[in-house]
Short mmCIF file of all heavy atoms in Angstrom, two decimals:
data_model
loop_
_atom_site.label_atom_id
_atom_site.label_comp_id
_atom_site.label_asym_id
_atom_site.label_seq_id
_atom_site.Cartn_x
_atom_site.Cartn_y
_atom_site.Cartn_z
N LEU R 1 24.18 -2.97 -16.76
CA LEU R 1 23.59 -3.59 -15.58
C LEU R 1 24.06 -2.97 -14.27
O LEU R 1 23.51 -3.28 -13.22
CB LEU R 1 23.90 -5.10 -15.57
CG LEU R 1 23.20 -5.92 -16.66
CD1 LEU R 1 23.68 -7.36 -16.61
CD2 LEU R 1 21.69 -5.86 -16.51
N ASN R 2 25.08 -2.12 -14.30
CA ASN R 2 25.55 -1.48 -13.07
C ASN R 2 24.64 -0.30 -12.72
O ASN R 2 25.01 0.87 -12.87
CB ASN R 2 27.00 -1.01 -13.24
CG ASN R 2 27.98 -2.02 -12.70
OD1 ASN R 2 27.83 -2.48 -11.57
ND2 ASN R 2 28.95 -2.39 -13.50
N LYS R 3 23.44 -0.62 -12.24
CA LYS R 3 22.43 0.40 -11.99
C LYS R 3 21.35 -0.22 -11.10
O LYS R 3 21.47 -1.35 -10.64
CB LYS R 3 21.80 0.85 -13.31
CG LYS R 3 21.11 -0.32 -14.03
CD LYS R 3 20.36 0.13 -15.26
CE LYS R 3 19.55 -1.03 -15.84
NZ LYS R 3 18.74 -0.63 -16.98
N ALA R 4 20.30 0.53 -10.88
CA ALA R 4 19.13 -0.02 -10.20
C ALA R 4 18.36 -0.87 -11.20
O ALA R 4 17.91 -0.37 -12.23
CB ALA R 4 18.25 1.10 -9.67
N LEU R 5 18.23 -2.15 -10.93
CA LEU R 5 17.59 -3.07 -11.87
C LEU R 5 16.08 -3.13 -11.66
O LEU R 5 15.59 -3.01 -10.53
CB LEU R 5 18.16 -4.49 -11.70
CG LEU R 5 19.67 -4.66 -11.89
CD1 LEU R 5 20.03 -6.13 -11.70
CD2 LEU R 5 20.12 -4.16 -13.24
N THR R 6 15.36 -3.34 -12.74
CA THR R 6 13.96 -3.69 -12.61
C THR R 6 13.88 -5.14 -12.14
O THR R 6 14.87 -5.88 -12.17
CB THR R 6 13.23 -3.56 -13.95
OG1 THR R 6 13.76 -4.54 -14.87
CG2 THR R 6 13.41 -2.16 -14.54
N GLU R 7 12.69 -5.56 -11.73
CA GLU R 7 12.52 -6.95 -11.28
C GLU R 7 12.89 -7.93 -12.40
O GLU R 7 13.56 -8.94 -12.16
CB GLU R 7 11.09 -7.21 -10.83
CG GLU R 7 10.75 -6.64 -9.47
CD GLU R 7 10.33 -5.18 -9.56
OE1 GLU R 7 10.48 -4.58 -10.66
OE2 GLU R 7 9.88 -4.63 -8.55
N ALA R 8 12.46 -7.63 -13.62
CA ALA R 8 12.74 -8.53 -14.73
C ALA R 8 14.25 -8.63 -14.98
O ALA R 8 14.79 -9.72 -15.21
CB ALA R 8 12.03 -8.04 -15.99
N GLU R 9 14.95 -7.50 -14.92
CA GLU R 9 16.40 -7.51 -15.10
C GLU R 9 17.08 -8.26 -13.96
O GLU R 9 18.04 -9.02 -14.19
CB GLU R 9 16.92 -6.08 -15.18
CG GLU R 9 16.53 -5.34 -16.45
CD GLU R 9 16.87 -3.87 -16.39
OE1 GLU R 9 16.90 -3.30 -15.27
OE2 GLU R 9 17.08 -3.27 -17.46
N ALA R 10 16.58 -8.07 -12.74
CA ALA R 10 17.18 -8.75 -11.59
C ALA R 10 17.05 -10.27 -11.72
O ALA R 10 18.00 -11.01 -11.44
CB ALA R 10 16.51 -8.27 -10.30
N VAL R 11 15.88 -10.74 -12.13
CA VAL R 11 15.68 -12.18 -12.31
C VAL R 11 16.64 -12.71 -13.38
O VAL R 11 17.23 -13.79 -13.23
CB VAL R 11 14.21 -12.48 -12.68
CG1 VAL R 11 14.06 -13.93 -13.14
CG2 VAL R 11 13.31 -12.21 -11.49
N THR R 12 16.81 -11.96 -14.46
CA THR R 12 17.71 -12.38 -15.53
C THR R 12 19.15 -12.47 -15.04
O THR R 12 19.87 -13.42 -15.34
CB THR R 12 17.62 -11.40 -16.71
OG1 THR R 12 16.28 -11.39 -17.22
CG2 THR R 12 18.57 -11.79 -17.83
N VAL R 13 19.58 -11.46 -14.26
CA VAL R 13 20.95 -11.47 -13.73
C VAL R 13 21.16 -12.63 -12.78
O VAL R 13 22.16 -13.36 -12.85
CB VAL R 13 21.25 -10.12 -13.03
CG1 VAL R 13 22.55 -10.21 -12.23
CG2 VAL R 13 21.34 -9.01 -14.06
N LEU R 14 20.23 -12.83 -11.85
CA LEU R 14 20.36 -13.93 -10.89
C LEU R 14 20.42 -15.27 -11.61
O LEU R 14 21.22 -16.15 -11.25
CB LEU R 14 19.20 -13.90 -9.90
CG LEU R 14 19.18 -12.70 -8.94
CD1 LEU R 14 17.92 -12.72 -8.08
CD2 LEU R 14 20.43 -12.67 -8.06
N ASP R 15 19.58 -15.45 -12.61
CA ASP R 15 19.59 -16.70 -13.37
C ASP R 15 20.93 -16.90 -14.08
O ASP R 15 21.47 -18.01 -14.11
CB ASP R 15 18.45 -16.69 -14.39
CG ASP R 15 18.40 -17.97 -15.20
OD1 ASP R 15 18.07 -19.02 -14.63
OD2 ASP R 15 18.69 -17.92 -16.42
N ALA R 16 21.49 -15.82 -14.62
CA ALA R 16 22.77 -15.91 -15.31
C ALA R 16 23.89 -16.35 -14.38
O ALA R 16 24.84 -17.02 -14.80
CB ALA R 16 23.12 -14.56 -15.96
N PHE R 17 23.78 -15.99 -13.10
CA PHE R 17 24.80 -16.36 -12.12
C PHE R 17 24.46 -17.64 -11.36
O PHE R 17 25.09 -17.98 -10.37
CB PHE R 17 25.03 -15.22 -11.13
CG PHE R 17 25.88 -14.10 -11.68
CD1 PHE R 17 25.32 -13.12 -12.47
CD2 PHE R 17 27.23 -14.05 -11.41
CE1 PHE R 17 26.09 -12.08 -12.98
CE2 PHE R 17 28.02 -13.02 -11.91
CZ PHE R 17 27.45 -12.03 -12.71
N GLY R 18 23.43 -18.37 -11.83
CA GLY R 18 23.10 -19.65 -11.24
C GLY R 18 22.32 -19.59 -9.95
O GLY R 18 22.31 -20.54 -9.18
N ILE R 19 21.64 -18.46 -9.69
CA ILE R 19 20.82 -18.33 -8.49
C ILE R 19 19.37 -18.55 -8.90
O ILE R 19 18.79 -17.75 -9.64
CB ILE R 19 20.99 -16.94 -7.85
CG1 ILE R 19 22.46 -16.72 -7.47
CG2 ILE R 19 20.09 -16.80 -6.62
CD1 ILE R 19 22.76 -15.33 -6.95
N ALA R 20 18.80 -19.64 -8.44
CA ALA R 20 17.46 -20.02 -8.86
C ALA R 20 16.42 -19.04 -8.31
O ALA R 20 16.49 -18.63 -7.15
CB ALA R 20 17.13 -21.43 -8.39
N CYS R 21 15.48 -18.66 -9.15
CA CYS R 21 14.37 -17.81 -8.74
C CYS R 21 13.06 -18.57 -8.92
O CYS R 21 12.99 -19.51 -9.71
CB CYS R 21 14.34 -16.54 -9.59
SG CYS R 21 15.79 -15.49 -9.42
N VAL R 22 12.05 -18.16 -8.19
CA VAL R 22 10.75 -18.79 -8.38
C VAL R 22 10.26 -18.45 -9.78
O VAL R 22 10.63 -17.41 -10.35
CB VAL R 22 9.73 -18.30 -7.33
CG1 VAL R 22 10.16 -18.72 -5.94
CG2 VAL R 22 9.54 -16.80 -7.40
N PRO R 23 9.41 -19.32 -10.38
CA PRO R 23 8.89 -19.02 -11.72
C PRO R 23 8.23 -17.65 -11.78
O PRO R 23 7.42 -17.30 -10.92
CB PRO R 23 7.88 -20.15 -11.94
CG PRO R 23 8.39 -21.28 -11.11
CD PRO R 23 8.97 -20.63 -9.88
N THR R 24 8.62 -16.87 -12.78
CA THR R 24 8.24 -15.47 -12.85
C THR R 24 7.75 -15.12 -14.25
O THR R 24 8.29 -15.60 -15.25
CB THR R 24 9.44 -14.57 -12.50
OG1 THR R 24 9.90 -14.89 -11.17
CG2 THR R 24 9.08 -13.10 -12.56
N ARG R 25 6.74 -14.27 -14.31
CA ARG R 25 6.25 -13.75 -15.58
C ARG R 25 6.06 -12.24 -15.47
O ARG R 25 5.76 -11.72 -14.41
CB ARG R 25 4.91 -14.39 -15.98
CG ARG R 25 4.94 -15.89 -16.15
CD ARG R 25 5.69 -16.32 -17.40
NE ARG R 25 5.60 -17.76 -17.61
CZ ARG R 25 6.40 -18.66 -17.05
NH1 ARG R 25 7.35 -18.24 -16.21
NH2 ARG R 25 6.26 -19.95 -17.29
N ILE R 26 6.24 -11.56 -16.59
CA ILE R 26 6.01 -10.12 -16.67
C ILE R 26 4.72 -9.89 -17.46
O ILE R 26 4.54 -10.47 -18.54
CB ILE R 26 7.17 -9.40 -17.36
CG1 ILE R 26 8.49 -9.71 -16.65
CG2 ILE R 26 6.92 -7.90 -17.43
CD1 ILE R 26 8.55 -9.25 -15.23
N ALA R 27 3.84 -9.05 -16.94
CA ALA R 27 2.57 -8.78 -17.61
C ALA R 27 2.38 -7.27 -17.75
O ALA R 27 2.67 -6.51 -16.81
CB ALA R 27 1.41 -9.37 -16.82
N PRO R 28 1.87 -6.81 -18.90
CA PRO R 28 1.70 -5.37 -19.09
C PRO R 28 0.47 -4.78 -18.43
O PRO R 28 0.38 -3.57 -18.23
CB PRO R 28 1.60 -5.24 -20.62
CG PRO R 28 0.98 -6.54 -21.05
CD PRO R 28 1.53 -7.57 -20.11
N ASP R 29 -0.50 -5.65 -18.09
CA ASP R 29 -1.76 -5.14 -17.53
C ASP R 29 -2.43 -6.23 -16.69
O ASP R 29 -1.88 -7.34 -16.54
CB ASP R 29 -2.70 -4.68 -18.65
CG ASP R 29 -2.87 -5.74 -19.75
OD1 ASP R 29 -2.82 -6.96 -19.43
OD2 ASP R 29 -3.04 -5.35 -20.92
N LEU R 30 -3.61 -5.92 -16.15
CA LEU R 30 -4.31 -6.87 -15.28
C LEU R 30 -4.67 -8.15 -15.99
O LEU R 30 -4.55 -9.25 -15.42
CB LEU R 30 -5.58 -6.21 -14.72
CG LEU R 30 -5.41 -5.37 -13.45
CD1 LEU R 30 -6.72 -4.72 -13.07
CD2 LEU R 30 -4.91 -6.24 -12.31
N GLU R 31 -5.16 -8.04 -17.22
CA GLU R 31 -5.53 -9.26 -17.95
C GLU R 31 -4.31 -10.13 -18.21
O GLU R 31 -4.36 -11.35 -18.08
CB GLU R 31 -6.21 -8.89 -19.27
CG GLU R 31 -6.84 -10.08 -19.98
CD GLU R 31 -7.85 -10.84 -19.12
OE1 GLU R 31 -8.60 -10.18 -18.37
OE2 GLU R 31 -7.86 -12.08 -19.18
N GLY R 32 -3.20 -9.49 -18.54
CA GLY R 32 -1.97 -10.25 -18.73
C GLY R 32 -1.50 -10.90 -17.44
O GLY R 32 -0.97 -12.02 -17.45
N ALA R 33 -1.69 -10.20 -16.32
CA ALA R 33 -1.32 -10.78 -15.03
C ALA R 33 -2.18 -12.00 -14.72
O ALA R 33 -1.68 -13.00 -14.18
CB ALA R 33 -1.48 -9.73 -13.93
N ALA R 34 -3.46 -11.95 -15.08
CA ALA R 34 -4.35 -13.09 -14.86
C ALA R 34 -3.92 -14.29 -15.70
O ALA R 34 -3.93 -15.43 -15.24
CB ALA R 34 -5.79 -12.70 -15.17
N VAL R 35 -3.53 -14.03 -16.94
CA VAL R 35 -3.05 -15.11 -17.81
C VAL R 35 -1.76 -15.71 -17.25
O VAL R 35 -1.59 -16.93 -17.20
CB VAL R 35 -2.82 -14.58 -19.24
CG1 VAL R 35 -2.14 -15.65 -20.10
CG2 VAL R 35 -4.15 -14.17 -19.88
N ALA R 36 -0.86 -14.83 -16.80
CA ALA R 36 0.41 -15.31 -16.23
C ALA R 36 0.16 -16.16 -14.99
O ALA R 36 0.78 -17.21 -14.81
CB ALA R 36 1.30 -14.12 -15.89
N ALA R 37 -0.77 -15.70 -14.14
CA ALA R 37 -1.07 -16.46 -12.91
C ALA R 37 -1.66 -17.82 -13.24
O ALA R 37 -1.33 -18.82 -12.60
CB ALA R 37 -2.03 -15.65 -12.04
N ARG R 38 -2.54 -17.86 -14.23
CA ARG R 38 -3.14 -19.15 -14.61
C ARG R 38 -2.06 -20.11 -15.12
O ARG R 38 -2.06 -21.29 -14.79
CB ARG R 38 -4.19 -18.93 -15.70
CG ARG R 38 -4.92 -20.22 -16.10
CD ARG R 38 -5.88 -20.01 -17.25
NE ARG R 38 -5.16 -19.70 -18.48
CZ ARG R 38 -5.41 -18.65 -19.25
NH1 ARG R 38 -6.34 -17.76 -18.91
NH2 ARG R 38 -4.72 -18.44 -20.36
N ASN R 39 -1.13 -19.59 -15.91
CA ASN R 39 -0.07 -20.44 -16.46
C ASN R 39 0.91 -20.90 -15.38
O ASN R 39 1.41 -22.03 -15.43
CB ASN R 39 0.69 -19.69 -17.56
CG ASN R 39 -0.16 -19.45 -18.79
OD1 ASN R 39 -1.14 -20.17 -19.02
ND2 ASN R 39 0.18 -18.45 -19.59
N LEU R 40 1.19 -20.03 -14.41
CA LEU R 40 2.10 -20.40 -13.33
C LEU R 40 1.45 -21.33 -12.33
O LEU R 40 2.11 -22.20 -11.76
CB LEU R 40 2.58 -19.14 -12.60
CG LEU R 40 3.55 -18.22 -13.35
CD1 LEU R 40 3.75 -16.93 -12.57
CD2 LEU R 40 4.89 -18.92 -13.57
N GLY R 41 0.15 -21.12 -12.11
CA GLY R 41 -0.57 -21.87 -11.09
C GLY R 41 -0.68 -21.08 -9.80
O GLY R 41 0.31 -20.54 -9.30
N TYR R 42 -1.91 -20.99 -9.30
CA TYR R 42 -2.14 -20.27 -8.04
C TYR R 42 -1.69 -21.13 -6.85
O TYR R 42 -1.62 -22.35 -6.97
CB TYR R 42 -3.63 -19.95 -7.90
CG TYR R 42 -4.13 -18.88 -8.84
CD1 TYR R 42 -4.75 -19.21 -10.04
CD2 TYR R 42 -3.96 -17.53 -8.54
CE1 TYR R 42 -5.21 -18.22 -10.91
CE2 TYR R 42 -4.41 -16.54 -9.39
CZ TYR R 42 -5.04 -16.89 -10.57
OH TYR R 42 -5.49 -15.90 -11.42
N PRO R 43 -1.38 -20.49 -5.70
CA PRO R 43 -1.39 -19.06 -5.40
C PRO R 43 -0.18 -18.35 -5.98
O PRO R 43 0.87 -18.97 -6.21
CB PRO R 43 -1.39 -19.01 -3.89
CG PRO R 43 -0.64 -20.23 -3.49
CD PRO R 43 -1.02 -21.28 -4.51
N VAL R 44 -0.33 -17.03 -6.21
CA VAL R 44 0.76 -16.25 -6.77
C VAL R 44 0.99 -14.98 -5.94
O VAL R 44 0.14 -14.59 -5.13
CB VAL R 44 0.47 -15.83 -8.23
CG1 VAL R 44 0.36 -17.04 -9.13
CG2 VAL R 44 -0.79 -14.96 -8.31
N ALA R 45 2.14 -14.37 -6.17
CA ALA R 45 2.44 -13.04 -5.66
C ALA R 45 2.51 -12.10 -6.84
O ALA R 45 2.99 -12.49 -7.92
CB ALA R 45 3.77 -13.04 -4.90
N VAL R 46 2.04 -10.88 -6.66
CA VAL R 46 2.08 -9.88 -7.73
C VAL R 46 2.70 -8.60 -7.19
O VAL R 46 2.39 -8.16 -6.09
CB VAL R 46 0.66 -9.60 -8.28
CG1 VAL R 46 0.74 -8.54 -9.39
CG2 VAL R 46 0.02 -10.87 -8.82
N LYS R 47 3.59 -8.00 -8.00
CA LYS R 47 4.21 -6.73 -7.66
C LYS R 47 4.05 -5.77 -8.83
O LYS R 47 4.08 -6.20 -9.99
CB LYS R 47 5.71 -6.90 -7.36
CG LYS R 47 6.02 -7.94 -6.31
CD LYS R 47 7.53 -8.14 -6.21
CE LYS R 47 7.88 -9.27 -5.24
NZ LYS R 47 9.34 -9.51 -5.18
#
C-alpha cells in the first residue's frame, strides 16, 4: 500500500482507518456504471 493508490484501494484504506467514504462502486464499463448508479441512487459522480 505504500504507493500511489487507485480509487478503489484508497476507499479500502480509508475505511480500514475509520474514515467514512460516500457509497462507492467499481464498474468495468459503461453498462456496469449504469447498474452501479441505479443501485446507489442518482445523482452520482463518475470518475
Side-chain angles (χ1 to χ4, degrees):
L1 291 175
N2 265 310
K3 61 174 187 177
L5 302 180
T6 66
E7 284 85 351
E9 290 170 333
V11 169
T12 299
V13 168
L14 293 175
D15 181 69
F17 282 83
I19 301 174
C21 297
V22 296
T24 301
R25 300 289 185 275
I26 304 298
D29 50 33
L30 274 176
E31 190 56 39
V35 172
R38 183 185 68 232
N39 292 337
L40 289 171
Y42 288 97
V44 297
V46 179
K47 306 173 185 178

